[in-house]
Amino acid sequence: MNYIFILITVINAFVFILYGIDKYKATHKKYRIPESTLVLLPFFMSSLGAMLGMIVFNHKTSKTKFRILIPLSFLLNTIAVILYFVK
């Protein structure tokens, strides 16, 4: 059970860093991480990292797609964790 929390933490940290990298690239006019990647990754148990990345780096906060799908992924991730641990 501890391995699952470690895995989820590592995945969330990775996605948080990706949001930071993409924000850096956006401000320096460099090749960007595709939006589809930034939207889809949070659905794989990394929505907290994505939400924190959006807030900390103030990145993609004005895009409707992100404002809807990232919280939705957080809700689905939370439900999945609850269903997994409540047996």
Side-chain angles (χ1 to χ4, degrees), residues 12-24 38 42 46-61 66 70:
N12 276 285
F14 173 73
V15 171
F16 175 79
I17 291 167
L18 276 183
Y19 272 74
I21 290 170
D22 194 56
K23 177 65 175 194
Y24 174 83
L38 295 175
S46 60
S47 58
L48 184 59
M51 285 177 40
L52 289 174
M54 286 176 65
I55 294 166
V56 169
F57 302 115
N58 193 29
H59 191 48
K60 303 288 187 185
T61 55
F66 283 84
I70 303 307

Side-chain angles (χ1 to χ4, degrees), residues 5-73:
F5 283 121
I6 293 169
L7 179 62
I8 289 173
T9 302
V10 168
I11 292 169
N12 276 285
F14 173 73
V15 171
F16 175 79
I17 291 167
L18 276 183
Y19 272 74
I21 290 170
D22 194 56
K23 177 65 175 194
Y24 174 83
K25 288 182 173 194
T27 58
H28 290 85
K29 308 267 192 260
K30 297 188 180 227
Y31 179 75
R32 306 277 303 279
I33 298 168
E35 280 192 356
S36 59
T37 302
L38 295 175
V39 168
L40 288 176
L41 281 177
F43 284 94
F44 297 100
M45 300 309 284
S46 60
S47 58
L48 184 59
M51 285 177 40
L52 289 174
M54 286 176 65
I55 294 166
V56 169
F57 302 115
N58 193 29
H59 191 48
K60 303 288 187 185
T61 55
S62 64
K63 297 233 176 198
T64 305
K65 165 177 26 177
F66 283 84
R67 292 181 68 159
I68 293 170
L69 292 176
I70 303 307
L72 175 64
S73 69

